[in-house]
Amino acid sequence: MSSSMKREEILCLFDVDGTLTLPRQTIQPATEDFLLSKVKPAATIGLVGGSDLAKIAEQMGGADVMNKFDYVFAENGLVAYKNGKLIGKMSIQAHVGDEKLQLFINYALGYMSKLTLPVKRGTFIEFRDGLVNVCPVGRSCSQAERDQFAAYDKEHNIREMFVKHLKAEFPDLGLVYSIGGQISFDVFPKGWDKTYALRFVEKEGFKEIHFFGDKTAPGGNDHEIYEDPRTIGHRVTCPEETIAQLKTLLHL
């Protein structure tokens, strides 16, 4: 980008997990300080997370995240905030219908009941406004158990095989499956990936929209927005790399 570009002409959107924070960890004070004191004066900034607002706030150091960032898009943008005010909300049950959703959830629970893993904990299905989060190990696992499952999944492709079965069982529901983070995958209607958030910003007059994410490969939950022609995609592996790329991009 040219160094003469104004703050309101450039938008930087960030995935949270693995991009601004370590997986499921809280943002480091140095990272937050860099974003707010260096990046925000130079560019409009926004978050695009797959998690719900409570989880994003928890990782980003509290509920005032909505006032720190110009945009906060929770659940891929299905719950959208601008300058701390709600500007959009959509729900999966209104779109798919409770009858079909229940068939899906029953099948997923049945499949998980037959899996043998190193451990199993609680909350295997988490229902959010815009998606269903499916977690074979259970979301109430500890960080050590989370890491253990991630390593086991890498070797045995538990999530990948699970998604394959769901696609075969429900070919007509118009659902997309996105493996992100360490322990779960998201299920949502086609088009409800992170590109959903772009509908709120594409007519705001930005000359450039940059997206930073770590799960940018096909099947990752940053892939669609990373590849979208409306954005300039930046692949990162950790918060330090995000900072390094921002310094280059914004001449900081």
Side-chain angles (χ1 to χ4, degrees), residues 104-160:
F104 176 87
I105 289 168
N106 287 347
Y107 179 87
L109 288 168
Y111 182 94
M112 285 186 281
S113 75
K114 297 180 186 76
L115 287 176
T116 302
L117 303 173
V119 299
K120 277 186 180 174
R121 295 302 178 244
T123 315
F124 301 99
I125 300 271
E126 186 173 85
F127 197 81
R128 302 177 190 165
D129 282 313
L131 56 86
V132 176
N133 179 266
V134 182
C135 182
V137 67
R139 294 197 68 87
S140 60
C141 59
S142 68
Q143 186 61 48
E145 290 162 347
R146 175 183 281 270
D147 295 339
Q148 180 188 35
F149 174 81
Y152 189 82
D153 184 47
K154 210 170 199 165
E155 192 183 336
H156 299 282
N157 300 316
I158 300 297
R159 291 184 291 174
E160 205 177 298

Side-chain angles (χ1 to χ4, degrees), residues 3-195:
S3 52
S4 62
M5 211 176 269
K6 297 186 186 74
R7 179 183 187 272
E8 56 273 14
E9 292 176 328
I10 180 167
L11 171 62
C12 292
L13 293 173
F14 303 95
D15 164 55
V16 177
D17 226 34
T19 301
L20 296 181
T21 76
L22 294 173
R24 289 305 302 137
Q25 304 294 305
T26 305
I27 191 168
Q28 292 293 317
T31 307
E32 183 180 34
D33 181 62
F34 177 78
L35 286 168
L36 299 180
S37 67
K38 297 283 195 291
V39 180
K40 195 176 180 184
T44 306
I45 57 173
L47 302 175
V48 190
S51 298
D52 61 25
L53 192 61
K55 283 202 179 65
I56 290 173
E58 184 190 319
Q59 279 186 265
M60 296 302 292
D64 57 344
V65 64
M66 284 152 51
N67 301 311
K68 290 175 179 172
F69 287 78
D70 301 288
Y71 293 96
V72 176
F73 298 114
E75 302 185 40
N76 291 350
L78 296 161
V79 180
Y81 286 84
K82 179 183 179 181
N83 299 327
K85 292 185 175 62
L86 185 70
I87 55 170
K89 191 166 182 176
M90 187 63 177
S91 81
I92 188 170
Q93 68 265 36
H95 187 82
V96 177
D98 270 314
E99 194 182 331
K100 288 177 180 171
L101 265 182
Q102 190 165 157
L103 284 173
F104 176 87
I105 289 168
N106 287 347
Y107 179 87
L109 288 168
Y111 182 94
M112 285 186 281
S113 75
K114 297 180 186 76
L115 287 176
T116 302
L117 303 173
V119 299
K120 277 186 180 174
R121 295 302 178 244
T123 315
F124 301 99
I125 300 271
E126 186 173 85
F127 197 81
R128 302 177 190 165
D129 282 313
L131 56 86
V132 176
N133 179 266
V134 182
C135 182
V137 67
R139 294 197 68 87
S140 60
C141 59
S142 68
Q143 186 61 48
E145 290 162 347
R146 175 183 281 270
D147 295 339
Q148 180 188 35
F149 174 81
Y152 189 82
D153 184 47
K154 210 170 199 165
E155 192 183 336
H156 299 282
N157 300 316
I158 300 297
R159 291 184 291 174
E160 205 177 298
M161 292 304 298
F162 195 170
V163 164
K164 207 171 269 184
H165 278 89
L166 287 167
K167 282 179 174 173
E169 187 70 20
F170 300 100
D172 305 322
L173 280 189
L175 297 172
V176 175
Y177 303 83
S178 179
I179 298 173
Q182 291 181 292
I183 58 170
S184 64
F185 58 89
D186 293 334
V187 186
F188 46 84
K190 192 168 172 49
W192 285 24
D193 50 61
K194 288 186 178 181
T195 59

